[in-house]
Amino acid sequence: MTIHKILTTALLTTAVLLGATACSAGEGATDSSAKPSAKPSSSAAPAPAPAPGPGQVPPGGAPAELLTTALEAATVTLADGRGVTALVDDRGFSVYLLTDDSVADPQCNVPECLGFWSPVTGDLAALAVGEGISGEFAVWSHDGFEQLTINGFPLYSFGGDNSAGAAGGHGLNSNFGEGKWSIVAPDGTAVQ
């Protein structure tokens, strides 16, 4: 009987331990009835963002900090090393247009394009425009955001520009329609 009691105790202890382990909220465990905590855990993985629909900005495509409040003319450096005067946003990053793009016939309107070429968003009433800029600005309201335009061209920033004054996207052919990407001259035209 002693062996029977020892085996029964060992089996019950193992069952209790396994049950406690299965009920704990360990890594990889989910509980659909749990309520979100007021303070997020630093070890918890963020919930996946919903997939964007056509023409919507994908996660990381146009974060809120890309809201532009000012555009000015500044010297930017092209890949060949020459400096040219072009539009930059309030962070000093180059502003681009796509030569065959327009509000009427948008070329960069799929998540794959918008992931590299984030729309320059802003409020026209709050937009400060620097000296020497003569292009005509407007706002194109579409797909849940307000994209700035100049002379009818939607404006973008390039995800490959890592610093203010860089123009790494200038001269690239579009993979998502027709045209070439260009930094924008102060008169609202493509820089040659």
Side-chain angles (χ1 to χ4, degrees), residues 72-86:
E72 61 184 72
T75 300
V76 300
T77 306
L78 300 179
D80 64 7
R82 73 186 158 110
V84 297
T85 301

Side-chain angles (χ1 to χ4, degrees), residues 10 18 23 27 36 41 54 63-64 71 80 94 127 134 145 148-149 156 169 174-175 192:
L18 288 174
C23 291
E27 197 171 6
S41 168
L71 291 171
D80 64 7
S94 296
L127 181 64
S134 60
F145 57 91
L148 293 175
T149 66
Y156 302 87
S174 174
N175 290 336
Q192 301 302 316

Side-chain angles (χ1 to χ4, degrees), residues 104-178:
D105 186 22
Q107 299 294 306
C108 185
N109 62 347
V110 295
E112 295 82 10
C113 184
L114 296 171
F116 289 101
W117 300 94
S118 298
V120 174
T121 60
D123 177 0
L124 196 58
L127 181 64
V129 178
E131 284 187 42
I133 299 173
S134 60
E136 185 178 330
F137 290 92
V139 171
W140 177 31
S141 298
H142 66 102
D143 301 304
F145 57 91
E146 307 289 311
Q147 185 170 2
L148 293 175
T149 66
I150 191 166
N151 299 340
F153 289 101
L155 297 176
Y156 302 87
S157 62
F158 178 50
D161 286 345
N162 297 328
S163 63
H170 181 73
L172 295 178
N173 289 318
S174 174
N175 290 336
F176 305 99
E178 299 297 318

Side-chain angles (χ1 to χ4, degrees), residues 9-136:
T9 303
L11 288 173
L12 285 173
T13 303
T14 302
V16 169
L17 288 175
L18 288 174
T21 302
C23 291
S24 71
E27 197 171 6
T30 60
D31 181 2
S32 62
S33 66
K35 293 181 181 175
S37 104
K39 183 177 177 185
S41 168
S42 61
S43 64
Q56 293 180 325
V57 180
E65 64 267 12
L66 291 182
L67 179 68
T68 298
T69 57
L71 291 171
E72 61 184 72
T75 300
V76 300
T77 306
L78 300 179
D80 64 7
R82 73 186 158 110
V84 297
T85 301
L87 293 183
V88 296
D89 65 13
D90 48 3
R91 302 170 302 142
F93 279 72
S94 296
V95 174
Y96 295 84
L97 61 78
L98 180 58
T99 58
D100 287 3
D101 201 13
S102 71
V103 172
D105 186 22
Q107 299 294 306
C108 185
N109 62 347
V110 295
E112 295 82 10
C113 184
L114 296 171
F116 289 101
W117 300 94
S118 298
V120 174
T121 60
D123 177 0
L124 196 58
L127 181 64
V129 178
E131 284 187 42
I133 299 173
S134 60
E136 185 178 330

